[in-house]
Amino acid sequence: MDVVNDAANHTVESVPGRPSTASAPLEAGRRSTTGSRLYPRVTSFRSRRGALTPNQQGAWDRMWPKIGREVGDEPLDTEAWFGRKAPLVIEIGCGTGTATAAMAQAEPDVDLIGIEVYQPGLAQLVQRIERDDIGNIRLLRGDAVDVLEHMIAAESLTGVRVFFPDPWPKARHHKRRLLQPATLSLIASRLRPGGVLHVATDHADYAEHIAEVGAGEPLLTGLNETTGGSAELLARHCPIGYERPVTKFEGKAHRAGSAITEFIWGKIE
């Protein structure tokens, strides 16, 4: 599945000066005592580069110093960054930000951090944030696992969203899939009690893998029907919105006859 999409981790680029590792599984690489990653590092995305248009570069230069940061090792002070205290959600692999922007605008009382490595995709989202004056989005460029491990405090997130991560369909590439047991465990540790993990995929085999991994995480319990919950349970216990806009990528999946599988888990309180 080599579609360049406006959802999650299907096609993104390496960050200059950092290992090519957006949202890679935890088992694949750890930091040494000097802070650099051990090699080789298994990635969960296809490397791709792209240049910004003049308009994108202009918006980037104006907005990035305020709303964007490169991923690092320093813990985030989200209250200082957003200028308020609010429920915090991260979206892993926000792509060009179609869902990011729409869901942030639908919930102005929620703060949302999008994580992505593909700069032209981020630049499109930066343009929309500037054009629509969206004040509750911040952006991180780099490895989402680094963010979770080093920048996000335990039990601080109200939600984590992972929409259409790369399925890596060939069996020999399954180790590259983002949603592995160790990553789910890390996500669960960063969710506050009652927080939610929302995942969507259009790939049937990956959906089976995700279901198995999610069912094996002891800190998570199913909220929607796919995960063993119900519509009533979801409506009663989901603290953030879960209605997504249909992106261009998802539209292609629908036209191709691919079923979209949604998983929503809650952290046990």
Side-chain angles (χ1 to χ4, degrees), residues 55 57-66 130:
N55 286 340
Q57 187 66 58
W60 187 277
D61 292 342
R62 289 188 297 272
M63 298 293 292
W64 189 256
K66 176 184 177 181
E130 182 179 44

Side-chain angles (χ1 to χ4, degrees), residues 187-207:
I187 289 171
S189 74
R190 296 316 189 241
L191 288 171
R192 67 168 179 79
V196 298
L197 169 61
H198 182 184
V199 179
T201 182
D202 68 311
H203 192 274
D205 178 68
Y206 199 10

Side-chain angles (χ1 to χ4, degrees), residues 52-253:
L52 302 190
T53 68
N55 286 340
Q56 288 174 344
Q57 187 66 58
W60 187 277
D61 292 342
R62 289 188 297 272
M63 298 293 292
W64 189 256
K66 176 184 177 181
I67 68 169
R69 296 181 184 177
E70 300 292 323
V71 170
D73 292 335
E74 295 297 321
L76 283 175
D77 183 345
T78 57
E79 291 184 24
W81 201 12
F82 284 93
R84 66 178 186 176
K85 183 176 182 179
L88 182 64
V89 174
I90 68 170
E91 182 183 347
I92 296 175
C94 60
T96 60
T98 301
T100 314
M103 297 178 85
Q105 288 175 301
E107 294 185 300
D109 295 330
V110 172
D111 289 339
L112 197 157
I113 297 176
I115 307 170
E116 180 60 74
V117 294
Y118 180 47
Q119 188 183 15
L122 280 173
Q124 291 186 51
L125 178 52
V126 168
Q127 284 183 298
R128 180 165 178 179
I129 291 170
E130 182 179 44
R131 182 184 69 243
D132 294 348
D133 193 25
I134 306 173
N136 60 328
I137 297 177
R138 300 292 184 268
L139 302 173
L140 292 170
R141 186 177 180 223
D143 187 338
V145 171
D146 277 349
V147 174
L148 291 168
E149 284 187 319
H150 304 291
M151 304 183 77
I152 300 295
E155 298 193 343
S156 64
L157 299 175
T158 298
V160 174
R161 292 167 175 154
V162 189
F163 298 151
F164 303 100
D166 197 315
W168 291 102
K170 294 181 180 180
R172 70 178 184 272
H173 291 154
H174 286 182
K175 62 186 177 181
R176 296 182 178 272
R177 290 174 169 176
L178 168 65
L179 297 173
Q180 306 286 0
T183 314
L184 263 287
S185 178
L186 177 60
I187 289 171
S189 74
R190 296 316 189 241
L191 288 171
R192 67 168 179 79
V196 298
L197 169 61
H198 182 184
V199 179
T201 182
D202 68 311
H203 192 274
D205 178 68
Y206 199 10
E208 291 181 7
H209 170 85
I210 293 167
E212 180 180 351
V213 172
E217 173 48 56
L219 293 179
L220 299 178
T221 185
L223 292 182
N224 69 339
E225 293 182 359
T226 306
T227 57
S230 64
E232 180 183 358
L233 190 67
L234 180 62
R236 188 165 68 246
H237 291 287
C238 193
I240 56 174
Y242 49 86
E243 296 295 329
R244 299 180 297 100
V246 177
T247 66
K248 291 180 181 179
F249 171 79
E250 187 175 351
K252 291 179 181 178

